[in-house]
Amino acid sequence: MEGHGLAVALTFFTAAFIAGLLIFLTSVLGPKRLTPVKALPFECGMEPSGPARVAFPVKFYLLAVLFLVFDVEVVFFYPWAVLFDKLALFGLLEMMVFTAILAVGLLYAWKEGALEWR
Amino acid sequence: MYLDVIITLLKIAIVFGFVLNVAAILSWAERKQSAVMQDRIGANRADVLGFRIFGLFHPIADTIKMLTKEDWVPPAGDAFVHTLAPFLALFTALVVFAVIPFGDTLHIAGRDIPLQIADLNVGILFIVAFGGLGFYSVVLAGWSSENKYSLLGSIRAAAQLISYELALGLSIVGIVMAYGSIELDDIARGQGQYVLGVIPYWGIVAQPLGFILFFTAAMAETKRVPFDLPESESEIIGYFTEYSGMKFGAFWMGEFIEVISVAGVVTALYFGGWQIPFLSNQGVFIPGLFTIPLPHLLVVLLQVSAFGLKVLFFCWFMLLVRWTLPRFRYDQLMAFGWKFMVPLALVNIAVTGLIKYVF
């Protein structure tokens, strides 16, 4: 197991080195000529009005909450799936109940209109 | 100990060398593929000393161009986060390859070398976790750019990524059940079995619906057509509007690396990994009839090349899909993810459980 930790660490290091090197090189090699017009955000040539961090629909927040709820439940599937053969009928029935509860949750969100985009 | 480190570094060099080169060539292949499909010639102008070799110098020219362009950081934005985002895009796309097995155990000079950088016992979770971390590069890029369109683009992208992440996570559960493991090399090895003695027990045989769901969700995670709303290159209201030089290039390369990693994971989970049907450590065999022995090194070499070819095939397949299908509308995209993929993935799990219990 220790060897795997080392291998993962080496992979992280190499990936970070490659990504870091590319970004470092581009910040060193390119020219630097900042003009007032260039400093404006790229918004189709119009002068930007107001701050850039605008309000966005609360819809996205709702979606994030839904994702959080369902994704945490998805994680429970993994240990069950690995041990499926050992758990036999008990595991199957337990998971059917769990899946049904999950499906009811999804149906409720669906019925309440949380999945509609308009 | 030192030898272990050197062997690991060698494997990393091979894998990353393959991935980065294929990513560069994919940028060329994508142009050529679109040109073929749209009856154009495609990139063929870059030449070195008059040699054009079908425009294969274009990836090199692109890299040099992007490295020497002005690296522009929005004065009003957050410089640190603005730099961190492309770094994360490349980093998370690359580290996924740590757990993808590209060959069977190699026996050489009395050592057993698994052809996989790190044989983690949480392989699939590692992939899902780091694939999911790529999400931060999108959000951070949009937020730090100080541009309304970038921010909106990144929020749309984030919503898409988390929606399909759910279907992705659920669709893999079926394959975990079929092979009883979340280690990718166990799954690859399990696919060396045969159904009825002749049909290779590949993931596509065990999980046909799971494969379609996984592939669709994984393509949505790569943010390419038909799921390219985060980028929308024809409208350019994406999260990397405010990027230039190689920082933009990092997102662009990260996308191609994600394509390769999706191809790699699909191969490892659903298309036998490095397995070639009717080729085992003993050599080529026809079930119940005869076996032609082959040397171990040749078998390993064949299997590694088979893995590479399968990966290249799926990369090419994704290019085909990208240039065939039109883009979804945003509400269609979300409805498809939540109202179609997620319920179907749940049904897939239930059906797999029932079938597995009955047989």
Side-chain angles (χ1 to χ4, degrees):
Chain A
M1 203 51 225
E2 227 173 78
H4 301 321
L6 184 70
V8 171
L10 282 174
T11 316
F12 278 19
F13 180 77
T14 319
F17 178 75
I18 293 170
L21 184 73
L22 284 175
I23 288 166
F24 172 73
L25 278 182
T26 188
S27 62
V28 173
L29 289 178
K32 293 266 179 296
R33 284 189 292 268
L34 192 67
T35 61
V37 175
K38 206 190 268 181
L40 291 176
F42 184 74
E43 291 179 5
C44 307
M46 307 293 282
E47 283 198 18
S49 62
R53 278 155 205 164
V54 289
F56 56 85
V58 71
K59 190 83 219 162
F60 290 105
Y61 176 75
L62 185 64
L63 194 79
V65 172
L66 268 181
F67 164 74
L68 219 66
V69 170
F70 281 102
D71 209 42
V72 167
E73 287 175 355
V74 168
V75 173
F76 287 119
F77 274 109
Y78 282 93
W80 169 76
V82 173
L83 292 174
F84 184 77
D85 286 334
K86 286 194 192 123
L87 294 175
L89 186 61
F90 170 73
L92 180 71
L93 293 179
E94 278 286 286
M95 221 52 196
M96 287 293 171
V97 174
F98 183 80
T99 314
I101 294 172
L102 204 63
V104 169
L106 185 66
L107 282 175
Y108 178 70
W110 195 333
K111 184 183 149 278
E112 289 291 300
L115 307 180
E116 306 297 328
W117 286 85
R118 50 187 95 187
Chain B
M1 181 62 200
Y2 288 115
L3 202 58
D4 282 344
V5 173
I6 290 168
I7 289 171
T8 309
L9 283 176
L10 214 64
K11 283 193 278 192
I12 294 174
I14 291 169
V15 173
F16 281 13
F18 176 82
V19 168
L20 292 171
N21 281 305
V22 172
I25 290 172
L26 270 183
S27 74
W28 168 82
E30 173 150 273
R31 290 182 192 172
K32 278 294 189 190
Q33 182 65 47
S34 66
V36 167
M37 293 173 78
Q38 296 168 353
D39 203 11
R40 295 184 283 115
I41 296 171
N44 69 345
R45 287 288 137 181
D47 67 293
V48 173
L49 304 172
F51 290 102
R52 285 181 175 173
I53 51 168
F54 313 111
L56 264 173
F57 288 117
H58 273 273
I60 303 169
D62 282 342
T63 314
I64 296 169
K65 181 184 77 180
M66 283 195 283
L67 279 175
T68 51
K69 286 285 175 187
E70 178 169 359
D71 169 35
W72 187 77
V73 179
D78 188 320
F80 174 70
V81 179
H82 192 262
T83 312
L84 183 67
F87 173 82
L88 274 179
L90 257 186
F91 177 77
T92 55
L94 275 173
V95 292
V96 166
F97 290 94
V99 292
I100 296 180
F102 55 96
D104 203 352
T105 312
L106 177 67
H107 305 285
I108 191 164
R111 296 181 71 89
D112 291 346
I113 304 168
L115 291 183
Q116 180 184 21
I117 294 174
D119 181 14
L120 289 184
N121 53 5
V122 289
I124 287 179
L125 290 181
F126 184 89
I127 289 176
V128 175
F130 278 94
L133 267 186
F135 161 88
Y136 282 97
S137 74
V138 173
V139 177
L140 293 180
W143 179 81
S144 65
S145 289
E146 199 66 26
N147 180 329
K148 294 185 199 71
Y149 295 116
S150 292
L151 183 69
L152 289 176
S154 77
I155 290 164
R156 287 204 310 190
Q160 172 187 332
L161 290 186
I162 58 176
S163 300
Y164 281 84
E165 185 102 6
L166 200 58
L168 187 83
L170 281 170
S171 61
I172 305 181
V173 174
I175 208 90
V176 176
M177 284 162 77
Y179 296 103
S181 174
I182 54 170
E183 290 175 56
L184 277 116
D185 64 325
D186 279 357
I187 294 174
R189 231 161 250 131
Q191 299 185 62
Q193 301 159 345
Y194 294 89
V195 192
L196 308 172
V198 283
I199 306 165
Y201 190 55
W202 285 4
I204 180 85
V205 178
Q207 285 283 313
L209 181 61
F211 163 68
I212 295 168
L213 289 173
F214 176 80
F215 199 50
T216 314
M219 280 189 61
E221 294 285 309
T222 61
K223 308 184 281 287
R224 287 163 61 82
V225 181
F227 302 102
D228 75 328
L229 288 111
E231 184 184 342
S232 308
E233 62 180 11
S234 48
E235 285 116 53
I236 320 193
I237 312 184
Y239 52 92
F240 46 59
T241 311
E242 296 286 324
Y243 279 88
S244 64
M246 202 59 199
K247 284 183 186 164
F248 167 74
F251 286 113
W252 186 67
M253 257 175 80
E255 191 180 294
F256 282 115
I257 294 173
E258 274 176 15
V259 167
I260 304 168
S261 69
V262 167
V265 175
V266 162
T267 307
L269 293 182
Y270 293 97
F271 280 83
W274 34 262
Q275 303 274 3
I276 303 174
F278 311 117
L279 180 77
S280 75
N281 265 330
Q282 279 75 46
V284 183
F285 68 92
I286 302 295
L289 287 176
F290 59 90
T291 305
I292 306 165
L294 286 177
H296 174 66
L297 272 178
L298 180 66
V299 171
V300 171
L301 198 67
L302 281 175
Q303 286 174 333
V304 172
S305 349
F307 184 80
L309 282 178
K310 287 178 194 175
V311 169
L312 290 181
F313 171 79
F314 280 105
C315 290
W316 174 74
F317 186 74
M318 273 184 270
L319 295 190
L320 274 192
V321 174
R322 189 224 183 285
W323 290 102
T324 305
L325 297 176
R327 188 186 302 143
F328 278 114
R329 211 172 59 210
Y330 200 74
D331 61 331
Q332 291 170 337
L333 175 92
M334 300 312 270
F336 184 67
W338 283 93
K339 297 179 183 171
F340 186 74
M341 302 273 288
V342 171
L344 211 58
L346 284 175
V347 169
N348 183 43
I349 292 172
V351 171
T352 310
L354 279 176
I355 292 178
K356 222 176 164 224
Y357 181 72
V358 173
F359 294 103

